[in-house]
Amino acid sequence: MATKTNPSGKRRGGGTAQAVGMGVLKVLGTLLLIGLMTGAFLACFAAVYIRNVILPDAHIEAQSYSTALASTICRVDENGQEVELQSLYGTENRVWISYDEIPENLINAAIAIEDKRFYQHHGVDWLRTGSAILSMMTGQDIYGGSTITQQLLKNMTQYDDITVKRKILEIFRALDFEKDHEKDEIMELYLNYIYLGQKCYGVATASEYYFGKDVRELNLAECASLISITNNPSGYNPYRYPENNAYRATLVLQAMLEQGKISQAEYDEAKAQIDAGLNFTQGESDDTTSTILSWHEEQVVQDVINDLMEQYEYTYEVASRMVYSGGLKIYSCVDPEIQAVVEEVYENRDNLPQTSSRGEQLQSAIVVIDNQGNIVALAGSMGEKEGNQLLNLATQTTRQPGSAMKTLSTYAPAIDLGLITPNSVFDDSPVMDLNGAWPSNSYGYYWGLEPVYKAVEQSSNAVAARVLQEVGVEQSVGYLENNFHITTVSEDDYGLSQLALGGMTNGVTVREMATAYSVFPRGGVYLESHTYSQVKDSNGKIILDNTQQEPETAVKATTAWYINDMLKDVVTSPHGVGTGTEAYFSGMTIAGKTGSTNDYKDRWFVGYTPYYTAAVWTGYADHPERINNGATNPAAQMWKKVMQPIHEGLEKKDFDQPSGLVTVPICMDSGLRATDACTQDARGSRVYQAYFFEDDAPSGYCDLHEAKEVCVVSTTNEAGKTSSKYYLAGEFCPREGNAAGVTPTVKTISLLNYVRSGVAATVSTRDAGYTWAGVTTCPVHTSEVQPSPDVYDPSTFDVTNPDTWPPVNLYPDFDPEDPSTWPVAEPTESPTTSPSESEDPEETPSPTPTQEGAELPPEANSNH
């Protein structure tokens, strides 16, 4: 076919090809440019990521913990001198062996099978790493590629999740680590840290366990067998899977032969020994110690281990080895004298002799903290401590706190947020109907309107629930977690029962409760509690430090004072309803709160003085059941047994009081400023002088009390008992100065204009007889009173019938409530009646509420 031409006669095909070529070049150039820009962008992103995310975590501080030095727990006494308290020694399965004592065959076996270029690379084998990355890009697992250095660092830290970030961090950590550590040192650390099954850490321990011999005595076959275990301690366990171990050991020997680390003859001999079966002699690997640590010392050890794990990301095994065998110097916060008192009380079973229906002995735990946040003493259970690593009921278990949680979850937040003061009034009555009136109170009744300070003193559940409704569960949880650092709140705890009544799902530890309550004697400042102040390594370098802790404001100083003032009443019980009186001892200012759970399965007392805070729990640890202790609280009793002797000789002082405290006359029924009507209450004056800070005092005046005229009428019940009742005064009820001269029965009193609704209206409250509800008009004086006669016959007097009362003009001092003012008829002479046989008027008994009228109670006054 002829080629088409354009008008100029040139071939169109050539021009088109050229244009296409240019287009391709442009596309390729654009793609290349995009690729370069993308690469540059990714490189910048990678650089930023490595600098900000990877490098800050890349450095691992490897202390000299291979020296197998005993660590020491000590304290600084009042003279600033260091006093050694306890030495810590590594146990049988934590034996360290130095590099020059490790058999060469064992070192070569590890290198041959785990990292054949160990002495050539600088922490990372890039060939193996590249292979691992290729596996990742093709969708395979990204296991493998780790050098001995990388494996060591992974074993030393807790960072072992299988992610790209972990692999990148592992690379940079290895490169950084090898800058400061020789290959022989790394190999020594590796062979002493690796886990070899059966609780064996390190080749020295494993050699004793599996072969019953010192690691220095291992032959080539035994070295190959031992190093095989580390790849899979379970799968290559020579006791459970001897064939697997033999197979892996043969691979080790082959690798050593291929790399020229052993001769053919050595290989053949070792292979024959493996095929014939090595002589495994199972040993013992359980940790054993020669010294039983006290509860405080053991908690010091555990806290140091936990902090090393958190701060340096060490594994538990590594951190534990550092504590026991790293030559550390640990400065304890213990006060030996206080710890001695705690141990004396808690080792004496007679102090808590109760047993459950199963025969289980009643248990208890205590933590004592000073105002600097130091845990100066603790006990994890009753009875003599007979071993180490026993369950510590003070720090390792959680229990529902009951009413002891009210202070933290309800009252402190409400006061701190400005929602209430201790003088605010809430109704101690049911809050809702949950198949019955809820909540009930431990004291078995509902008080009615009462100030918060009294509700705290008697531990009202209903008032706590109502206050929590004001706070809101979200803010309550916020205070628990962020201000008081309670760590056990769960999603199921967002409710009135869990927060206001302390029925928390996961409970709380004794240590956390003591730490949280120590905020209040400290004036609202939170300090994390600690059992030690500092830890130094074998070179004297500080590696853990609790002395630089920044104080946190948990609640305002004024809030702390209000709480202190209320919780002092719980112990001293000025209103006769305090739940913590068993903790009281003379000569010291004491504040605290009790707690109990359903069926009294847990009993608490968390209390404090200006010097120390202590939390005590009692209960049955294994099978919780009711503590049949009658009305007494064993936790408060144990608290007193410890705290009284440790305060002997200390000056009695009060908690610090912020400035600006003022007094205001308050009505105890409304919580508002008192009026004259508040002083005329039928129970007596309801006014007291209340304490407030600055703008906390209410501006409004009581709107509950209303003064009205009542007619006092004496009546007799079916049993013949006389009592006085009051009714709303009617038109014809005798008043002062009445024209008829009849003794007045009308007086002015105040009652409450308060009507309950819902489930609260279905129960009886102690203030039910002191409201205007149900008070009816006088049914006695229904017609106009006749003028007083000029004469009166005393023999007609009947106190229950106002119509027989004497005229006021003849008996101006007559009072139907005062028998001494009643008219008395002259006795008639009778030979059979002696004056001693005449009957005195019957004494007016205590009034009781009626529906028709309200009783006239005795005068009463109350102050706080």
Side-chain angles (χ1 to χ4, degrees):
M1 179 182 292
T3 304
K4 294 182 179 180
T5 61
N6 59 20
S8 64
K10 296 182 179 180
R11 294 182 178 181
R12 294 169 48 132
T16 301
Q18 184 178 11
V20 171
M22 292 296 294
V24 171
L25 289 175
K26 289 182 179 180
V27 171
L28 291 176
T30 300
L31 291 175
L32 178 61
L33 180 60
I34 292 174
L36 290 174
M37 293 178 64
T38 302
F41 174 79
L42 292 175
C44 291
F45 176 81
V48 172
Y49 178 79
I50 290 171
R51 184 180 70 248
N52 295 335
V53 178
I54 301 299
L55 291 182
D57 293 330
H59 185 71
I60 296 295
E61 192 72 37
Q63 309 294 338
S64 299
Y65 299 121
S66 59
T67 54
L69 295 174
S71 295
T72 302
I73 298 178
C74 62
R75 66 180 293 267
V76 178
D77 65 16
E78 57 277 6
N79 298 318
Q81 301 297 315
E82 289 187 9
V83 179
E84 182 175 329
L85 301 175
Q86 185 65 259
S87 292
L88 305 174
Y89 298 93
T91 55
E92 290 180 355
N93 69 331
R94 295 182 181 277
V95 178
W96 193 277
I97 185 169
S98 62
Y99 178 82
D100 56 6
E101 294 179 296
I102 301 173
E104 184 178 2
N105 280 329
L106 190 57
I107 295 172
N108 287 334
I111 293 173
I113 197 66
E114 296 294 338
D115 187 3
K116 64 181 180 181
R117 285 181 285 275
F118 174 70
Y119 283 108
Q120 283 75 51
H121 63 65
H122 298 287
V124 178
D125 188 332
W126 293 109
L127 291 177
R128 297 179 66 188
T129 300
S131 176
I133 293 175
L134 182 61
S135 296
M136 177 191 69
M137 295 178 65
T138 56
Q140 302 177 51
D141 292 335
I142 57 174
Y143 291 95
S146 295
T147 63
I148 284 177
T149 306
Q150 290 170 296
Q151 292 180 48
L152 168 64
L153 296 177
K154 183 172 68 173
N155 288 334
M156 290 176 62
T157 66
Q158 303 176 85
Y159 196 76
D160 59 358
D161 53 314
I162 308 302
T163 63
V164 173
K165 177 184 176 182
R166 195 271 290 176
K167 296 298 293 185
I168 296 175
L169 183 58
E170 186 180 280
I171 289 171
F172 278 87
R173 279 182 169 176
L175 293 172
D176 179 79
F177 194 80
E178 289 219 0
K179 291 179 182 178
D180 303 320
H181 299 85
E182 300 293 333
K183 290 289 185 177
D184 291 352
E185 181 185 358
I186 294 172
M187 181 58 68
E188 178 183 324
L189 291 169
Y190 174 76
L191 292 177
N192 279 284
Y193 274 130
I194 56 175
Y195 179 60
L196 293 160
Q198 302 299 131
K199 299 183 181 179
C200 295
Y201 295 91
V203 293
T205 300
S207 176
E208 291 285 354
Y209 184 84
Y210 291 110
F211 298 107
K213 61 170 67 175
D214 191 288
V215 67
R216 289 175 284 246
E217 301 173 3
L218 295 181
N219 60 34
L220 175 57
E222 291 166 337
C223 287
S225 174
L226 189 64
I227 210 66
S228 297
I229 300 173
T230 188
N231 183 263
N232 187 337
S234 177
Y236 294 129
N237 187 308
Y239 300 130
R240 299 177 60 188
Y241 305 107
E243 66 284 356
N244 290 356
N245 181 268
Y247 169 77
R248 178 73 175 176
T250 300
L251 293 181
V252 173
L253 291 176
Q254 290 173 353
M256 295 177 72
L257 179 62
E258 293 171 359
Q259 296 171 34
K261 299 184 184 300
I262 58 173
S263 66
Q264 184 65 50
E266 289 173 320
Y267 170 84
D268 293 339
E269 181 182 357
K271 178 67 166 61
Q273 292 174 352
I274 291 173
D275 291 343
L278 297 176
N279 183 24
F280 294 107
T281 304
Q282 188 166 353
E284 298 291 334
S285 67
D286 292 336
D287 290 0
T288 60
T289 55
S290 58
T291 302
I292 296 177
L293 303 180
S294 71
W295 286 113
H296 194 283
E297 290 166 348
E298 195 163 49
Q299 192 60 45
V300 167
V301 169
Q302 190 59 55
D303 287 352
V304 173
I305 290 174
N306 291 339
D307 291 347
L308 287 172
M309 293 169 63
E310 179 179 352
Q311 185 161 330
Y312 295 101
E313 295 187 343
Y314 293 136
T315 62
Y316 181 86
E317 291 75 22
V318 172
S320 179
R321 186 192 301 278
M322 290 166 61
V323 170
Y324 281 103
S325 306
L328 304 183
K329 181 171 286 188
I330 303 169
Y331 293 86
S332 172
C333 296
V334 71
D335 185 315
E337 294 182 1
I338 298 178
Q339 182 66 27
V341 170
V342 167
E343 291 175 0
E344 180 180 0
V345 171
Y346 271 76
E347 288 177 1
N348 185 354
R349 258 289 166 196
D350 292 338
N351 288 327
L352 213 60
Q354 298 91 328
T355 58
S356 70
S357 60
R358 300 169 181 258
E360 181 182 349
Q361 290 183 310
L362 189 60
Q363 275 293 352
S364 181
I366 186 172
V367 172
V368 185
I369 301 176
D370 69 12
N371 284 337
Q372 287 70 50
N374 301 311
I375 297 180
V376 294
L378 65 86
S381 71
M382 290 294 296
E384 185 177 354
K385 192 170 184 287
E386 297 179 345
N388 291 325
Q389 299 183 356
L390 304 178
L391 180 64
N392 189 324
L393 299 175
T395 61
Q396 295 177 330
T397 63
T398 57
R399 300 285 173 168
Q400 289 187 346
S403 295
M405 185 55 68
K406 293 174 182 175
T407 307
L408 307 177
S409 63
T410 302
Y411 294 117
I415 293 174
D416 207 53
L417 293 168
L419 301 175
I420 68 168
T421 72
N423 304 290
S424 300
V425 171
F426 286 82
D427 195 5
D428 181 27
S429 65
V431 177
M432 60 184 69
D433 187 350
L434 294 179
N435 296 320
W438 183 93
S440 60
N441 290 320
S442 61
Y443 39 88
Y445 59 86
Y446 296 103
W447 191 271
L449 295 175
E450 65 176 348
V452 166
Y453 68 77
K454 185 177 178 183
V456 171
E457 183 181 336
Q458 68 182 4
S459 197
S460 165
N461 288 335
V463 171
R466 293 184 185 278
V467 173
L468 182 61
Q469 288 179 323
E470 296 285 326
V471 176
V473 294
E474 294 284 349
Q475 289 196 111
S476 173
V477 170
Y479 266 84
L480 286 179
E481 294 184 331
N482 303 325
N483 298 52
F484 297 113
H485 297 270
I486 301 297
T487 62
T488 53
V489 181
S490 73
E491 294 181 358
D492 296 328
D493 288 333
Y494 284 66
L496 296 181
S497 177
Q498 300 89 322
L499 297 174
L501 275 61
M504 297 177 64
T505 305
N506 298 324
V508 66
T509 67
V510 176
R511 178 176 182 171
E512 281 187 318
M513 288 297 283
T515 304
Y517 266 76
S518 69
V519 161
F520 303 118
R522 210 179 286 124
V525 175
Y526 176 87
L527 288 175
E528 183 180 358
S529 65
H530 41 265
T531 56
Y532 71 91
S533 58
Q534 287 183 332
V535 177
K536 296 180 180 179
D537 67 11
S538 58
N539 297 318
K541 178 182 178 181
I542 297 175
I543 59 174
L544 292 174
D545 193 353
N546 286 324
T547 63
Q548 304 302 314
Q549 181 183 179
E550 289 294 329
E552 302 176 25
T553 300
V555 294
K556 292 178 289 191
T558 53
T559 300
W561 188 89
Y562 282 135
I563 294 293
N564 294 339
D565 193 47
M566 290 194 295
L567 296 192
K568 285 193 293 185
D569 288 354
V570 172
V571 178
T572 59
S573 192
H575 308 96
V577 292
T579 60
T581 55
E582 292 170 282
Y584 174 79
F585 56 87
S586 62
M588 186 54 58
T589 303
I590 306 170
K593 186 70 186 75
T594 55
S596 59
T597 58
N598 288 345
D599 299 324
Y600 292 102
K601 292 181 179 179
D602 301 279
R603 302 299 299 269
W604 290 78
F605 186 77
V606 189
Y608 52 89
T609 70
Y611 297 95
Y612 300 104
T613 301
V616 176
W617 166 86
T618 57
Y620 295 107
D622 297 330
H623 302 93
E625 63 178 72
R626 184 182 182 88
I627 303 173
N628 292 314
N629 231 51
T632 63
N633 184 343
Q637 295 169 4
M638 293 294 287
W639 190 92
K640 178 181 178 179
K641 290 179 187 296
V642 169
M643 295 291 272
Q644 185 170 13
I646 71 176
H647 282 83
E648 289 180 1
L650 295 179
E651 175 189 0
K652 181 178 181 180
K653 60 181 181 180
D654 206 345
F655 304 108
D656 291 340
Q657 176 183 308
S659 60
L661 198 67
V662 297
T663 58
V664 177
I666 294 294
C667 170
M668 67 178 63
D669 294 304
S670 66
L672 301 175
R673 291 177 180 266
T675 66
D676 289 341
C678 302
T679 66
Q680 297 174 306
D681 191 286
R683 294 162 289 184
S685 176
R686 304 292 286 172
V687 181
Y688 68 99
Q689 297 296 319
Y691 295 103
F692 296 94
F693 284 103
E694 299 179 356
D695 300 327
D696 293 343
S699 57
Y701 287 84
C702 175
D703 55 2
L704 285 183
H705 277 105
E706 182 178 2
K708 295 182 180 181
E709 283 189 336
V710 294
C711 182
V712 181
V713 177
S714 295
T715 59
T716 303
N717 61 18
E718 295 178 356
K721 297 294 184 180
T722 302
S723 61
S724 297
K725 296 180 181 179
Y726 50 80
Y727 297 88
L728 290 173
E731 176 186 359
F732 302 111
C733 295
R735 292 170 170 78
E736 292 282 357
N738 60 82
V742 177
T743 301
T745 59
V746 175
K747 61 188 300 186
T748 299
I749 65 170
S750 291
L751 294 178
L752 303 176
N753 277 323
Y754 188 76
V755 179
R756 293 181 173 86
S757 60
V759 66
T762 66
V763 301
S764 175
T765 60
R766 290 295 176 93
D767 64 357
Y770 305 108
T771 68
W772 286 118
V775 180
T776 59
T777 303
C778 176
V780 176
H781 302 100
T782 59
S783 60
E784 186 175 358
V785 180
Q786 298 301 315
S788 298
D790 294 331
V791 295
Y792 175 73
D793 182 3
S795 64
T796 64
F797 175 73
D798 181 359
V799 72
T800 65
N801 184 359
D803 292 336
T804 68
W805 292 357
V808 67
N809 59 325
L810 299 179
Y811 292 84
D813 297 327
F814 172 73
D815 183 349
E817 297 180 29
D818 184 0
S820 66
T821 67
W822 295 352
V824 179
E826 293 294 331
T828 59
E829 295 184 2
S830 171
T832 60
T833 303
S834 66
S836 63
E837 294 175 329
S838 62
E839 295 184 358
D840 291 331
E842 193 173 50
E843 183 178 353
T844 302
S846 298
T848 56
T850 69
Q851 294 182 347
E852 299 174 347
E855 57 189 67
L856 191 62
E859 295 295 310
N861 198 353
S862 177
N863 294 290
H864 180 267

